[in-house]
Amino acid sequence: MFLMIGLICPLAVIASPGLCTGPVCADDITRSAKNHWQLVLKLNDQLGHREKVVMNCRAGQLSPISGPVDRAYATSIGRRACRLAGEG
């Protein structure tokens, strides 16, 4: 599927809102010379807590580091996305 998308629009790197894996949804991905790749994730849990966090691919960690929603799964998803983007 990714190969077909890459053939249709090879210059676009887009994380669509609603691209979800369990309780983690990709909201945005950006790249700048200063911050490298940054992935914005929306997290939620079974208790109804919701948060928006940023995965800094250069540092390999989420910001903010702690909060009401568990970050272990989001951290692993974010690190994998960073590796796929070629950084991390």
Side-chain angles (χ1 to χ4, degrees):
M1 177 115 170
F2 286 107
L3 179 59
M4 290 175 53
I5 293 170
L7 293 174
I8 295 169
C9 55
L11 301 177
V13 177
I14 301 169
S16 300
L19 180 61
C20 299
T21 302
V24 180
C25 292
D27 194 36
D28 189 25
I29 187 166
T30 59
R31 180 174 172 87
S32 70
K34 180 181 176 186
N35 298 317
H36 299 269
W37 285 104
Q38 287 189 335
L39 177 63
V40 178
L41 303 169
K42 290 183 181 178
L43 312 179
N44 59 54
D45 65 9
Q46 294 177 345
L47 299 174
H49 298 116
R50 295 174 187 220
E51 286 188 78
K52 190 179 251 188
V53 296
V54 176
M55 177 63 159
N56 181 333
C57 288
R58 186 173 192 184
Q61 62 185 357
L62 293 177
S63 177
I65 294 174
S66 64
V69 179
D70 182 35
R71 281 150 167 63
Y73 186 66
T75 300
S76 67
I77 294 292
R79 286 181 180 162
R80 182 167 184 196
C82 290
R83 282 194 306 273
L84 292 172
E87 187 170 346

